[in-house]
Amino acid sequence: SQKIEQNSEALNIQEGKTATLTCNYTNYSPAYLQWYRQDPGRGPVFLLLIRENEKEKRKERLKVTFDTTLKQSLFHITASQPADSATYLCVAGSSASKIIFGSGTRLSIRP
Amino acid sequence: KAGVTQTPRYLIKTRGQQVTLSCSPISGHRSVSWYQQTPGQGLQFLFEYFSETQRNKGNFPGRFSGRQFSNSRSEMNVSTLELGDSALYLCASSLDQSNEKLFFGSGTQLSVL
């Protein structure tokens, strides 16, 4: 079955370091991948979208990559801050089928 | 521009009752999708509507239903509530059917006792 897996349930990073989150997909060829941030008790907030023909996308301290050979997306937060602590969701989609959510990675940035 | 509005924010029901949740999308957005989120299962897709038509449906029993009105507002209904239906129910809207860049509401936290 189609599956999106985010490798780490939780990730603890020292403030100032780069946080790297992983998203792998199986039995699926997404046309795009999206990353969302979710804070406790709130709905997810859209961060970045990268298409299958794009290798990398950046937005301020955020960078996302899409490797169709490895079937993987990496999400980086550089110069991490305690305010970046949240759960990050990877979402895969294509025009033909409904989107699929990963289970999320809970990121904690310690001062 | 107002965001996605979900009402009510919190709801407590007992087993066997039914519940209706409401979602008002961002003005101009025609696609609305619903999700159930529990700590153990993550975000699970319920259904998606575009221009009052259900486009996709997730793997949930028939007790879960929804509809979309001509003004794009959407409702979802759960009948004969079970304890396992306790969850955060999220609604998201997007401009079109592509599901790119979803805007989520804050959700309705449903507790079934």
Side-chain angles (χ1 to χ4, degrees), chain B residues 4 17 19 24 35 57 63 67 95 104:
Chain B
V4 177
Q17 286 187 308
V19 67
S24 293
Y35 304 85
K57 191 176 189 309
R63 300 185 297 107
R67 58 179 175 167
L95 206 51
F104 284 84

PDB file of all heavy atoms in Angstrom, chain B residues 4 17 19 24 35 57 63 67 95 104:
ATOM      1  N   VAL B   4      -9.644  29.655   7.942  1.00  0.00           N
ATOM      2  CA  VAL B   4     -10.642  28.593   8.000  1.00  0.00           C
ATOM      3  C   VAL B   4     -11.229  28.566   9.415  1.00  0.00           C
ATOM      4  O   VAL B   4     -10.477  28.548  10.389  1.00  0.00           O
ATOM      5  CB  VAL B   4     -10.007  27.231   7.662  1.00  0.00           C
ATOM      6  CG1 VAL B   4     -11.033  26.122   7.798  1.00  0.00           C
ATOM      7  CG2 VAL B   4      -9.410  27.270   6.260  1.00  0.00           C
ATOM      8  N   GLN B  17     -24.721   8.969  20.639  1.00  0.00           N
ATOM      9  CA  GLN B  17     -25.241  10.243  20.137  1.00  0.00           C
ATOM     10  C   GLN B  17     -24.669  10.516  18.747  1.00  0.00           C
ATOM     11  O   GLN B  17     -23.802   9.806  18.250  1.00  0.00           O
ATOM     12  CB  GLN B  17     -24.849  11.386  21.081  1.00  0.00           C
ATOM     13  CG  GLN B  17     -25.636  11.407  22.381  1.00  0.00           C
ATOM     14  CD  GLN B  17     -25.334  12.647  23.198  1.00  0.00           C
ATOM     15  OE1 GLN B  17     -24.162  12.972  23.468  1.00  0.00           O
ATOM     16  NE2 GLN B  17     -26.370  13.350  23.603  1.00  0.00           N
ATOM     17  N   VAL B  19     -23.216  13.811  16.070  1.00  0.00           N
ATOM     18  CA  VAL B  19     -22.610  15.132  16.160  1.00  0.00           C
ATOM     19  C   VAL B  19     -22.441  15.714  14.754  1.00  0.00           C
ATOM     20  O   VAL B  19     -22.228  14.977  13.786  1.00  0.00           O
ATOM     21  CB  VAL B  19     -21.243  15.043  16.884  1.00  0.00           C
ATOM     22  CG1 VAL B  19     -20.222  14.270  16.056  1.00  0.00           C
ATOM     23  CG2 VAL B  19     -20.714  16.413  17.233  1.00  0.00           C
ATOM     24  N   SER B  24     -16.045  26.602   7.768  1.00  0.00           N
ATOM     25  CA  SER B  24     -16.167  27.675   6.776  1.00  0.00           C
ATOM     26  C   SER B  24     -14.794  27.904   6.163  1.00  0.00           C
ATOM     27  O   SER B  24     -13.851  28.304   6.869  1.00  0.00           O
ATOM     28  CB  SER B  24     -16.665  28.966   7.434  1.00  0.00           C
ATOM     29  OG  SER B  24     -17.987  28.813   7.878  1.00  0.00           O
ATOM     30  N   TYR B  35     -10.243  15.725   8.165  1.00  0.00           N
ATOM     31  CA  TYR B  35      -9.271  14.779   8.683  1.00  0.00           C
ATOM     32  C   TYR B  35      -9.562  14.487  10.144  1.00  0.00           C
ATOM     33  O   TYR B  35     -10.040  15.354  10.871  1.00  0.00           O
ATOM     34  CB  TYR B  35      -7.839  15.344   8.568  1.00  0.00           C
ATOM     35  CG  TYR B  35      -7.476  15.732   7.163  1.00  0.00           C
ATOM     36  CD1 TYR B  35      -7.812  16.990   6.666  1.00  0.00           C
ATOM     37  CD2 TYR B  35      -6.833  14.844   6.316  1.00  0.00           C
ATOM     38  CE1 TYR B  35      -7.515  17.353   5.363  1.00  0.00           C
ATOM     39  CE2 TYR B  35      -6.522  15.202   5.013  1.00  0.00           C
ATOM     40  CZ  TYR B  35      -6.871  16.454   4.544  1.00  0.00           C
ATOM     41  OH  TYR B  35      -6.586  16.804   3.255  1.00  0.00           O
ATOM     42  N   LYS B  57     -12.941   9.755  -0.694  1.00  0.00           N
ATOM     43  CA  LYS B  57     -13.395   9.336   0.628  1.00  0.00           C
ATOM     44  C   LYS B  57     -12.330   8.418   1.216  1.00  0.00           C
ATOM     45  O   LYS B  57     -11.782   7.557   0.518  1.00  0.00           O
ATOM     46  CB  LYS B  57     -14.730   8.605   0.502  1.00  0.00           C
ATOM     47  CG  LYS B  57     -15.421   8.346   1.819  1.00  0.00           C
ATOM     48  CD  LYS B  57     -16.777   7.697   1.586  1.00  0.00           C
ATOM     49  CE  LYS B  57     -17.620   7.615   2.831  1.00  0.00           C
ATOM     50  NZ  LYS B  57     -16.968   7.037   3.994  1.00  0.00           N
ATOM     51  N   ARG B  63     -20.828   5.641   9.208  1.00  0.00           N
ATOM     52  CA  ARG B  63     -21.316   6.564  10.252  1.00  0.00           C
ATOM     53  C   ARG B  63     -20.760   7.976  10.053  1.00  0.00           C
ATOM     54  O   ARG B  63     -21.288   8.943  10.582  1.00  0.00           O
ATOM     55  CB  ARG B  63     -20.869   6.069  11.640  1.00  0.00           C
ATOM     56  CG  ARG B  63     -21.356   4.710  12.029  1.00  0.00           C
ATOM     57  CD  ARG B  63     -20.966   4.348  13.447  1.00  0.00           C
ATOM     58  NE  ARG B  63     -19.523   4.267  13.665  1.00  0.00           N
ATOM     59  CZ  ARG B  63     -18.797   5.165  14.330  1.00  0.00           C
ATOM     60  NH1 ARG B  63     -19.369   6.247  14.826  1.00  0.00           N
ATOM     61  NH2 ARG B  63     -17.498   4.995  14.488  1.00  0.00           N
ATOM     62  N   ARG B  67     -20.998  16.893   3.793  1.00  0.00           N
ATOM     63  CA  ARG B  67     -21.590  17.558   2.639  1.00  0.00           C
ATOM     64  C   ARG B  67     -20.969  18.944   2.505  1.00  0.00           C
ATOM     65  O   ARG B  67     -20.395  19.486   3.459  1.00  0.00           O
ATOM     66  CB  ARG B  67     -23.103  17.654   2.775  1.00  0.00           C
ATOM     67  CG  ARG B  67     -23.597  18.389   3.999  1.00  0.00           C
ATOM     68  CD  ARG B  67     -25.113  18.438   3.985  1.00  0.00           C
ATOM     69  NE  ARG B  67     -25.650  19.027   5.195  1.00  0.00           N
ATOM     70  CZ  ARG B  67     -26.913  19.406   5.314  1.00  0.00           C
ATOM     71  NH1 ARG B  67     -27.755  19.267   4.324  1.00  0.00           N
ATOM     72  NH2 ARG B  67     -27.342  19.933   6.448  1.00  0.00           N
ATOM     73  N   LEU B  95      -7.662  26.301  -2.777  1.00  0.00           N
ATOM     74  CA  LEU B  95      -8.251  27.062  -3.880  1.00  0.00           C
ATOM     75  C   LEU B  95      -8.937  26.151  -4.896  1.00  0.00           C
ATOM     76  O   LEU B  95     -10.029  26.424  -5.384  1.00  0.00           O
ATOM     77  CB  LEU B  95      -7.121  27.838  -4.571  1.00  0.00           C
ATOM     78  CG  LEU B  95      -7.463  29.119  -5.302  1.00  0.00           C
ATOM     79  CD1 LEU B  95      -8.275  30.068  -4.428  1.00  0.00           C
ATOM     80  CD2 LEU B  95      -6.166  29.804  -5.752  1.00  0.00           C
ATOM     81  N   PHE B 104      -5.561  24.978   7.120  1.00  0.00           N
ATOM     82  CA  PHE B 104      -6.315  24.243   8.127  1.00  0.00           C
ATOM     83  C   PHE B 104      -6.977  25.172   9.131  1.00  0.00           C
ATOM     84  O   PHE B 104      -6.449  26.249   9.459  1.00  0.00           O
ATOM     85  CB  PHE B 104      -5.395  23.298   8.907  1.00  0.00           C
ATOM     86  CG  PHE B 104      -5.008  22.064   8.155  1.00  0.00           C
ATOM     87  CD1 PHE B 104      -3.937  22.075   7.267  1.00  0.00           C
ATOM     88  CD2 PHE B 104      -5.703  20.875   8.333  1.00  0.00           C
ATOM     89  CE1 PHE B 104      -3.571  20.936   6.577  1.00  0.00           C
ATOM     90  CE2 PHE B 104      -5.350  19.728   7.640  1.00  0.00           C
ATOM     91  CZ  PHE B 104      -4.287  19.754   6.766  1.00  0.00           C
TER      92      PHE B 104
END
